[in-house]
Amino acid sequence: MECGKAMEEGPLEAKSPFTMYSETVELIRYAMRLKSHSGPGVRQEDKQLAVLCYRCLALLYWQMFRLKKDYALKYSKVLLDYFKGSPKVPTTPPGWMDSEKGTTGLSSSLSPTAKHHRRGSNGGSSAASLISIPQRIHQMAANHLTITNSVLYSYEYWEVADNLAKENKEFFNYLNTLSGPLTLHSSIAHAVQYTRQALQWIRISAKLN
């Protein structure tokens, strides 16, 4: 995390801070798979460590979004302009939807396999419901989704950390008092200082050197 921040503030490097944050996310995920932090018999230290990991994941995803935010805004504007001027999907559903509605329900209409068979058996009658999208727009939509997903992951991991922290209120209340509360808008420097202090206590409690 410190390395990624140094890359942001220093001269241009061969490796981008976004890549550093992304690789740190994968490193934390890998570390979390090595030891269970839920279920019966799990030590409090493991749960405390899991909270720290989730907090760091949330902050890293937020930093990743922040670095790509300008691209997301640009993609959003282009996509909105395109879809405002694009033809609308026909309001009249293809004939096969009415014929199968009573027997298959909504779930069958979402099945790629079912769509394939219907298209073949009806001689292409469902083609009227398809709209061609330029490759450039498709790629922009995919990139926009990747960037904005970072926000969703950030909030999701933060909520998971909040729920786990409830089982160790005394530990984290004391940590917040000493180091200052950690939020999604905390600086990387604060997050590092907060995490180091917590790890020191966890090592002492777990009797690790």
Side-chain angles (χ1 to χ4, degrees), residues 32-94:
M32 294 189 74
R33 289 197 295 267
L34 299 179
K35 196 170 184 65
S36 174
H37 57 268
S38 61
V42 175
R43 299 184 304 174
Q44 290 303 310
E45 292 86 358
D46 293 327
K47 294 180 180 179
Q48 293 161 2
L49 181 60
V51 172
L52 295 174
C53 288
Y54 284 127
R55 295 279 192 230
C56 287
L57 285 171
L59 285 163
L60 284 165
Y61 271 114
W62 185 257
Q63 292 297 320
M64 288 163 64
F65 169 74
R66 187 179 57 79
L67 289 172
K68 299 285 187 179
K69 181 183 66 174
D70 290 343
Y71 289 103
L73 291 172
K74 182 182 75 172
Y75 294 150
S76 180
K77 184 179 184 304
V78 173
L79 291 171
L80 285 172
D81 290 343
Y82 172 79
F83 286 112
K84 278 180 182 178
S86 65
K88 301 297 185 291
V89 177
T91 55
T92 304

Side-chain angles (χ1 to χ4, degrees), residues 79-131:
L79 291 171
L80 285 172
D81 290 343
Y82 172 79
F83 286 112
K84 278 180 182 178
S86 65
K88 301 297 185 291
V89 177
T91 55
T92 304
W96 51 260
M97 290 186 69
D98 292 331
S99 63
E100 297 187 4
K101 189 174 181 181
T103 56
T104 59
L106 291 175
S107 60
S108 67
S109 67
L110 301 177
S111 167
T113 305
K115 283 185 178 181
H116 173 75
H117 289 302
R118 284 195 294 264
R119 193 171 294 128
S121 62
N122 287 278
S125 63
S126 63
S129 65
L130 303 178
I131 293 178

Side-chain angles (χ1 to χ4, degrees), residues 15-32:
K15 216 171 194 179
S16 72
F18 183 92
T19 302
M20 179 58 64
Y21 290 144
S22 178
E23 291 179 352
T24 305
V25 164
E26 295 306 316
L27 177 63
I28 295 175
R29 282 176 165 175
Y30 171 76
M32 294 189 74

